[in-house]
Amino acid sequence: TGVITAGTLTGNCGSTATLTLANALTNLGAFATSGNFSLTDAGGLGLTGNLTTGTGSVIITTTGPLAVGAAVTANGTGIVTLESSSIDITATITANGGINLLPNTDGVGIALNDDVVPGAFSLSTAELVLLASTGTVTIGRTSGAGAVNAYSIGSLGSINLSGESFDLTLLGATSAVNFNFGADSPNTMTLPSDSTLTITTGGAVTTNASGTTVDITIAGASMLDIVNATAIGSAVNPLAIMAATLRAPVSAGSLYIDATGALALGDGTRAVSATEGLVSVVSTGAVTMGATITTTDGSDPQPVTISGSSIAISQNVIAANNGTISLTGSGAITRSAGVLNSPAGIVALSAGTDIGAELVADGDVDASWIYTNSAVLRASATSGSLFVYDASGLQLGDASGNVTAGGSLNV
């Protein structure tokens, strides 16, 4: 019940160990509990002996640096939470309930295999692969705010976590996230197949990537969930990703994505959208839609631009203030539901094969036609047919583009 000032503390507890006064330890040696383990320390701490819980969680908080030099294991569904000014991990941390690593103050940047931000709460690739969990590894603080809390990722090379089994979450309040892999680089952040990367930091997500660089690589039935960014990428440096599904509602700017492989835009939880900005998604694979795609703005037109090897329309696409909706597929553009909405604006469609289709070859409009709500249609179905339906008046073509088809043309 009192403050512990021993150089090294060891122990064995048949239940829960709660050591949460202002202890002043140098080291934590071998310690085992059957339940939870909680320790508060002042000045910094070294873990020099294995720390193990039977079924409980581990919480260690120190005002100084933390050196994890021995294994930390929270068995069962236990969670490991480590909070410190800085961290050095040279032994395995195991917790299938999840692992939380966070700086102990808000005014600290976070570096993941990166040396751009001096004095950051830093984790190298070698440290990240020592995290063993089938749950979620969470880095950062929900209260982290401002430029000093920016995440800086990848200037020292690839972050390959493909052999791990966890999802990854980056936390913040108004923290920017900067990917620093550079131009035409083989370096990337690779997460386990079928995993989710959640970025809920509240700031802009930017990159210096260009050319062949991919910032984020997640194979399989994967998810990139950017919960609350103010902007994503830029026209010069779009965020380069490989993931199966993208959730990305942008709150105060534009969204620029350059995707490798097939990509689903949004799902039942979150959409791809931009407030006070545009949406631009370029993919090398098929693009599908899992939620309404929107831009919103008080006064300015905000376009929606999507390209891929094919595009399947299944949701409404809405461009603010009559912004242009541009869909480009090297293959076909198809529809099962949804309307392309720019009431006094332009819808521009370009496909290598068909634009829309006809379920029954009778010339009547059906659900596989492309539905638009626009003033002007530009369209080119290079080697296929065109099927477009608009419920109001429609101008076919303008000075910037015609309406053409290699096969039949139906509007």
Side-chain angles (χ1 to χ4, degrees), residues 156-245:
L156 296 177
S158 280
I159 302 171
N160 188 353
L161 306 177
S162 61
E164 308 307 314
S165 301
F166 53 74
D167 297 326
L168 180 63
T169 294
L170 307 181
L171 292 180
T174 57
S175 303
V177 176
N178 307 302
F179 287 87
N180 296 311
F181 293 118
D184 295 314
S185 170
N187 296 328
T188 182
M189 172 186 274
T190 304
L191 270 64
S193 183
D194 303 327
S195 68
T196 296
L197 171 60
T198 301
I199 300 175
T200 178
T201 54
V205 179
T206 62
T207 175
N208 64 7
S210 61
T212 59
T213 304
V214 178
D215 296 301
I216 300 163
T217 301
I218 323 174
S222 56
M223 173 82 69
L224 174 57
D225 189 6
I226 305 177
V227 176
N228 56 357
T230 54
I232 298 174
S234 69
V236 175
N237 299 110
L239 185 67
I241 69 170
M242 187 183 84
T245 301

Side-chain angles (χ1 to χ4, degrees), residues 270-320:
R270 263 182 291 280
V272 169
S273 63
T275 300
E276 299 180 4
L278 59 82
V279 167
S280 174
V281 177
V282 177
S283 178
T284 63
V287 176
T288 57
M289 301 175 183
T292 299
I293 299 169
T294 60
T295 59
T296 56
D297 193 286
S299 58
D300 294 330
Q302 297 294 356
V304 175
T305 303
I306 301 170
S307 68
S309 62
S310 63
I311 299 175
I313 302 166
S314 61
Q315 305 285 334
N316 290 332
V317 179
I318 303 169

Side-chain angles (χ1 to χ4, degrees), residues 21-404:
L21 297 178
N23 301 293
L25 300 173
T26 301
N27 296 309
L28 177 65
F31 209 110
T33 70
S34 62
N36 295 329
F37 177 90
S38 299
L39 172 66
T40 301
D41 179 77
L45 183 68
L47 273 59
T48 56
N50 293 343
L51 172 59
T52 306
T53 68
T55 58
S57 295
V58 171
I59 300 175
I60 297 176
T61 301
T62 179
T63 60
L66 178 64
V68 182
V72 178
T73 305
N75 285 304
T77 57
I79 300 168
V80 170
T81 300
L82 305 177
E83 183 174 358
S84 56
S85 62
S86 63
I87 192 165
D88 178 30
I89 302 172
T90 55
T92 302
I93 300 171
T94 303
N96 286 335
I99 299 171
N100 304 315
L101 305 176
L102 61 156
N104 54 21
T105 62
D106 288 342
V108 177
I110 295 176
L112 303 182
N113 208 42
D114 193 283
D115 63 356
V116 170
V117 180
F121 185 87
S122 179
L123 292 159
S124 68
T125 298
E127 291 174 305
L128 290 168
V129 299
L130 290 171
L131 307 178
S133 180
T134 56
T136 299
V137 170
T138 302
I139 299 171
R141 302 174 61 91
T142 57
S143 57
V148 293
N149 269 93
Y151 283 79
S152 194
I153 300 173
S155 70
L156 296 177
S158 280
I159 302 171
N160 188 353
L161 306 177
S162 61
E164 308 307 314
S165 301
F166 53 74
D167 297 326
L168 180 63
T169 294
L170 307 181
L171 292 180
T174 57
S175 303
V177 176
N178 307 302
F179 287 87
N180 296 311
F181 293 118
D184 295 314
S185 170
N187 296 328
T188 182
M189 172 186 274
T190 304
L191 270 64
S193 183
D194 303 327
S195 68
T196 296
L197 171 60
T198 301
I199 300 175
T200 178
T201 54
V205 179
T206 62
T207 175
N208 64 7
S210 61
T212 59
T213 304
V214 178
D215 296 301
I216 300 163
T217 301
I218 323 174
S222 56
M223 173 82 69
L224 174 57
D225 189 6
I226 305 177
V227 176
N228 56 357
T230 54
I232 298 174
S234 69
V236 175
N237 299 110
L239 185 67
I241 69 170
M242 187 183 84
T245 301
L246 172 68
R247 298 173 180 160
V250 171
S251 64
S254 294
L255 177 149
Y256 294 90
I257 292 290
D258 190 348
T260 299
L263 182 65
L265 301 179
D267 62 7
T269 301
R270 263 182 291 280
V272 169
S273 63
T275 300
E276 299 180 4
L278 59 82
V279 167
S280 174
V281 177
V282 177
S283 178
T284 63
V287 176
T288 57
M289 301 175 183
T292 299
I293 299 169
T294 60
T295 59
T296 56
D297 193 286
S299 58
D300 294 330
Q302 297 294 356
V304 175
T305 303
I306 301 170
S307 68
S309 62
S310 63
I311 299 175
I313 302 166
S314 61
Q315 305 285 334
N316 290 332
V317 179
I318 303 169
N321 303 309
N322 305 307
T324 298
I325 297 174
S326 300
L327 305 184
T328 302
S330 55
I333 298 174
T334 61
R335 175 191 179 272
S336 58
V339 178
L340 307 180
N341 287 282
S342 181
I346 299 166
V347 168
L349 307 173
S350 178
T353 56
D354 295 319
I355 297 176
E358 192 171 35
L359 296 176
V360 179
D362 57 6
D364 292 337
V365 175
D366 58 45
S368 61
W369 287 48
I370 306 298
Y371 282 41
T372 66
N373 176 23
S374 67
V376 176
L377 173 69
R378 302 174 190 154
S380 174
T382 304
S383 61
S385 296
L386 171 72
F387 300 88
V388 172
Y389 170 74
D390 194 289
S392 58
L394 185 65
Q395 175 182 311
L396 300 183
D398 62 9
S400 298
N402 299 320
V403 175
T404 62

Side-chain angles (χ1 to χ4, degrees), residues 3-27:
V3 173
I4 303 169
T5 59
T8 300
L9 174 67
T10 63
N12 193 308
C13 181
S15 57
T16 295
T18 304
L19 310 169
T20 54
L21 297 178
N23 301 293
L25 300 173
T26 301
N27 296 309

